Amino acid sequence: MRTARFIRFVALTAALVGCAHSSIEDCRTTDWFSLGHRDGRVGAPVSVFESYRAACREAERPPDRDAYEAGRWAGLQIYCTDGNGFQVGRSGRVYHHVCPLDTEKAFLAGRARGMRLAGCRADLFVFDQHLTTLERELESRRQALEAVTLPSEARNRLLREVERLDARYQRTIGEMEDVEVRCMNQLWSDRRTATPPRP
């Protein structure tokens, strides 16, 4: 609870200028290992500690950097994995180049797969929106064809438009399915590459 309150204080430093007593209490009682562990788990940049140092400048007890770094290192062991990299890439979160060299490659490989999946979702969203528009256009023309007093020339024009739109609709569905297949194949290929063969 105290750590969470301190985080909120750092984020709102400008608004809490008059609450110096509260900030000093937080700096004195914060569990710096736990705070570092939390920052490491989310891949926060190392510069975050400087904001803590600035917030605690007037405290009698400055931040415990050794405890913070130890916690952050432990948190990075959770963050810098292939699986978490995939989640980071899929969600579009920023990577602050915080992973150690021995784990960064696996993290970046997972992140690359996640980014490709995110790109596929964006492509599929475009197709989905376009199909919705085509469906509306088709429905409006089919409703117009139901008019009893529609002249034959106008009816023939609408029939041609329905035929053209329907062909475009079917073509778009095919293109969308191709994208889905390509994305799934790429994802499975990436997973096989990322998983070392068992001895």
Side-chain angles (χ1 to χ4, degrees), residues 127-143 162 165-166 168-170 172-173 176:
F127 278 110
D128 184 66
Q129 294 297 298
H130 187 52
L131 287 172
T132 299
T133 300
L134 289 172
E135 287 169 358
R136 290 174 179 169
E137 293 292 326
L138 278 166
E139 183 61 25
S140 68
R141 283 160 178 78
R142 285 169 177 159
Q143 288 180 356
V162 166
L165 286 169
D166 187 61
R168 186 172 179 180
Y169 183 82
Q170 297 302 325
T172 302
I173 288 179
M176 184 176 183

Side-chain angles (χ1 to χ4, degrees), residues 1-180:
M1 181 66 71
R2 289 171 177 172
T3 300
R5 188 172 72 245
F6 175 67
I7 293 292
R8 290 195 296 273
F9 161 74
V10 171
L12 300 172
T13 301
L16 298 177
V17 171
C19 302
H21 181 66
S22 174
S23 68
I24 291 173
E25 286 182 352
D26 285 331
C27 291
R28 288 174 176 171
T29 58
T30 292
D31 181 344
W32 293 103
F33 180 91
S34 295
L35 182 56
H37 192 268
R38 176 178 174 177
D39 287 350
R41 286 200 321 269
V42 299
V46 67
S47 59
V48 167
F49 183 80
E50 295 307 316
S51 67
Y52 300 147
R53 188 199 300 275
C56 293
R57 188 168 289 132
E58 297 180 6
E60 293 179 4
R61 181 181 177 185
D64 185 341
R65 180 151 203 159
D66 290 341
Y68 177 84
E69 289 294 343
R72 183 172 177 273
W73 179 261
L76 286 175
Q77 307 313 302
I78 299 172
Y79 177 82
C80 299
T81 62
D82 178 273
N84 189 62
F86 178 79
Q87 297 299 331
V88 169
R90 185 175 67 172
S91 62
R93 296 196 299 272
V94 176
Y95 171 53
H96 295 285
H97 303 277
V98 296
C99 293
L101 290 178
D102 59 337
T103 57
E104 186 177 54
K105 186 175 180 181
F107 172 85
L108 291 176
R111 180 171 178 257
R113 293 200 318 277
M115 290 174 69
R116 278 195 286 273
L117 180 60
C120 286
R121 288 181 173 177
D123 290 341
L124 294 174
F125 176 79
V126 171
F127 278 110
D128 184 66
Q129 294 297 298
H130 187 52
L131 287 172
T132 299
T133 300
L134 289 172
E135 287 169 358
R136 290 174 179 169
E137 293 292 326
L138 278 166
E139 183 61 25
S140 68
R141 283 160 178 78
R142 285 169 177 159
Q143 288 180 356
L145 282 170
E146 294 176 2
V148 178
T149 59
L150 192 67
S152 60
E153 183 178 342
R155 182 177 295 278
N156 290 336
R157 177 178 55 79
L158 284 171
L159 286 170
R160 288 194 299 272
E161 289 181 5
V162 166
E163 184 178 351
R164 176 179 56 83
L165 286 169
D166 187 61
R168 186 172 179 180
Y169 183 82
Q170 297 302 325
R171 189 166 59 249
T172 302
I173 288 179
E175 292 170 355
M176 184 176 183
E177 290 174 347
D178 289 343
V179 170
E180 290 177 331

